[in-house]
Amino acid sequence: MRENIVVVGVDNSDTAFRAAEAAAEIAVAFGARLHVVSAFEDDRTEVYGVGSDQWIESGATFAERVAKKVASDLTWPEGREEISYIAARGKPADAILEEAERLQARLVVVGNRRMQGIGRILGSIANSVAHGADCDVYIVNTTGEGA
């Protein structure tokens, strides 16, 4: 049986945050848990800094920081279970779908950014998720008027 979980895919964009806000509203309305997913595709690392003041940044740490920031910036009722988040390895659509399947989510929420013109035919994250999910998918209008 599916759990009452809403999964939302995010990146470091304003449109992804708008999708996450919609996902949070849905989760609150239906008493569901919210799980924020940010994908990374490789384990490349970069070293920043000078001298002994250096830090290492990888795709995984960046994706986790993005997911954590989105989760912490969302409006969430006090006393409710915390919003969970994860950096998931893989192409964005694949990572979102794998997390939704792993958690047996009831709903996946994604934004419609990049779902214009030829992208609607050739594929986008939202299109791939909509066609690959084994649960309901809600595509948030994050690019049009009123978004």
Side-chain angles (χ1 to χ4, degrees):
M1 179 155 138
R2 293 196 176 278
E3 288 194 53
N4 207 12
I5 298 174
V6 174
V7 170
V8 62
V10 300
D11 59 16
N12 197 22
S13 68
D14 291 338
T15 56
F17 187 75
R18 287 198 293 273
E21 287 177 315
E25 290 173 10
I26 292 167
V28 168
F30 290 101
R33 290 181 26 216
L34 181 62
H35 186 68
V36 178
V37 179
S38 183
F40 66 97
E41 293 189 49
D42 59 47
D43 285 332
R44 236 183 347 208
T45 59
E46 303 270 343
V47 178
Y48 298 97
V50 177
S52 63
D53 293 333
Q54 293 185 346
W55 67 94
I56 298 173
E57 176 85 12
S58 69
T61 57
F62 179 76
E64 183 174 13
R65 193 168 55 248
V66 167
K68 182 179 183 178
K69 175 155 180 35
V70 168
S72 67
D73 287 351
L74 290 171
T75 301
W76 195 249
E78 223 173 289
R80 288 276 310 264
E81 183 174 332
E82 292 294 315
I83 299 170
S84 59
Y85 61 89
I86 192 168
R89 186 184 233 297
K91 293 183 179 190
D94 295 338
I96 294 164
L97 290 169
E98 286 174 19
E99 276 299 293
E101 185 177 325
R102 180 180 74 81
L103 296 171
Q104 295 187 354
R106 283 196 183 269
L107 179 69
V108 175
V109 177
V110 290
N112 70 338
R113 187 177 72 153
R114 297 189 195 118
M115 265 191 88
Q116 294 117 6
I118 195 78
R120 287 185 174 183
I121 298 167
L122 299 178
S124 67
I125 295 167
N127 194 21
S128 297
V129 169
H131 286 92
D134 62 357
C135 64
D136 292 337
V137 177
Y138 179 69
I139 300 173
V140 179
N141 180 9
T142 60
T143 59
E145 287 185 33

